[in-house]
Amino acid sequence: MGFWQTVKADMKAATGHSRLGRLPTVFLFNPPFAAVFLHRVAAHLYRSRLRRLGIAIWGWNVTRTSCHINLEAEIGPGLLLPHPAAIVIGSGVRIGTNVTIYQSVTLGRVASSPIYPAVEDGAVLYTGAVVIGPVTIGRSATIGASSVVIKDVPDGGVVVGNPGRVIRIATPTDALTAQAAARP
């Protein structure tokens, strides 16, 4: 997917519409979209000849939003950060499409492994969740608030606690309902 198609998907996730003509207004008045958009621009420039400009925009975004998304993280379209404050996403993290991440979530590695987490399509990570190490969060999984995840989570898994444990596997209907509730 190209840059502008990804931006349209992010805008649709944050606002419910995807017309690029609305981009300036949405950027100015929608902090969840602005944080993701600035990351997309910075990462795009970082991978081009304008690497230093990308780093400058990244730094401005971190200062502006308190949201630290590493420029080398792989993030699919439709990312929604309803409250982008204090989110940390490490360099090797892979995030699928239509993922929702709430405030104060950390996605990082552990000292004993250089491998970062992978978050598959449609997952929702609630406030304060910590996902660290070589783990995979399955499609449409839900990570509860303040959970610490150090093991793989199956598709549709609902995880709570510290350490995180799967309390149930959601049905496809449950996953769609949870995802719809997480989106505007």
Side-chain angles (χ1 to χ4, degrees):
M1 185 175 272
F3 177 79
W4 290 110
Q5 289 79 20
T6 300
V7 169
K8 286 172 75 172
D10 294 338
M11 190 182 323
K12 179 111 175 138
T15 66
H17 58 78
S18 60
R19 287 194 24 236
L20 288 177
R22 295 183 177 181
L23 180 67
T25 304
V26 174
F27 175 75
L28 289 173
F29 298 109
N30 189 307
F33 173 75
V36 175
F37 179 70
L38 284 173
H39 168 73
R40 298 283 189 201
V41 170
H44 183 73
L45 294 172
Y46 180 76
R47 290 188 292 270
S48 74
R49 295 175 301 147
L50 302 171
R51 187 177 184 96
R52 289 185 182 184
L53 179 58
I55 292 169
I57 292 171
W58 172 83
W60 177 54
N61 192 27
V62 171
T63 302
R64 182 179 178 274
T65 64
S66 299
C67 180
H68 182 285
I69 305 172
N70 192 286
L71 291 171
E72 294 178 0
E74 295 177 30
I75 301 173
L79 177 65
L80 177 60
L81 308 176
H83 310 286
I87 294 172
V88 177
I89 299 174
S91 64
V93 171
R94 291 179 296 115
I95 297 175
T97 61
N98 298 319
V99 170
T100 302
I101 301 174
Y102 284 86
Q103 67 271 20
S104 302
V105 169
T106 298
L107 300 169
R109 68 181 188 91
V110 292
S112 60
S113 174
I115 301 172
Y116 285 81
V119 180
E120 294 185 359
D121 302 347
V124 178
L125 288 75
Y126 284 99
T127 306
V130 176
V131 181
I132 53 174
V135 300
T136 299
I137 305 300
R139 289 177 178 268
S140 300
T142 301
I143 308 302
S146 300
S147 296
V148 177
V149 180
I150 55 175
K151 294 181 182 176
D152 289 348
V153 176
D155 292 351
V158 178
V159 174
V160 297
N162 180 3
R165 64 190 183 289
V166 177
I167 59 168
R168 72 184 180 105
I169 306 294
T171 65
T173 305
D174 293 340
L176 290 174
T177 303
Q179 192 174 21
R183 301 220 169 236

